[in-house]
Amino acid sequence: MPRLIIAPSAQQDLSDICDYIARDKPIAAANWVEKIEAKCNLIATTPELGERRPEYGRDIRSSVVGRYVIFFRPIKDGIQVARVIAGDRDIRSL
């Protein structure tokens, strides 16, 4: 089974995403978090499929789900998710 490690910053991102969406659509908020988590589990099985993002750090890759970008590092037998950020945000400033 692939390993999936979610960094504290990514956990906070998921919580913030859920809170933001839940203001208007609580059910949709839970669905989005589930979609993002499912994508993270899928990526953990094949991390090399993510787009290389050397501008954000060594070994950083990304994958998109909806309007959100998952930033991760391949690790032995899986991935470590570093951040989950809305694509319309200024990613460099974060």
Side-chain angles (χ1 to χ4, degrees), residues 2-5 43-45 47 72-80:
R3 288 190 320 153
L4 174 61
I5 298 171
I43 295 167
T45 65
F72 65 94
R73 286 183 184 87
I75 58 171
K76 184 178 176 172
D77 301 323
I79 63 169
Q80 177 187 34

Side-chain angles (χ1 to χ4, degrees), residues 27-49:
I27 294 171
N31 289 338
W32 269 110
V33 171
E34 286 177 18
K35 284 180 189 179
I36 293 167
E37 289 173 344
K39 183 73 176 249
C40 289
N41 281 305
L42 177 63
I43 295 167
T45 65
T46 53
E48 64 278 355
L49 294 180

Side-chain angles (χ1 to χ4, degrees), residues 55-70:
E55 68 272 26
Y56 297 120
R58 186 172 178 227
D59 299 326
I60 296 292
R61 292 178 174 261
S62 69
S63 186
V64 175
V65 65
R67 64 182 287 245
Y68 299 100
V69 183
I70 301 165

Side-chain angles (χ1 to χ4, degrees), residues 2 13 18 26 34 45 47 80 83 91-92:
D13 292 337
C18 188
E34 286 177 18
T45 65
Q80 177 187 34
R83 299 294 305 260
I91 294 170
R92 289 199 180 273

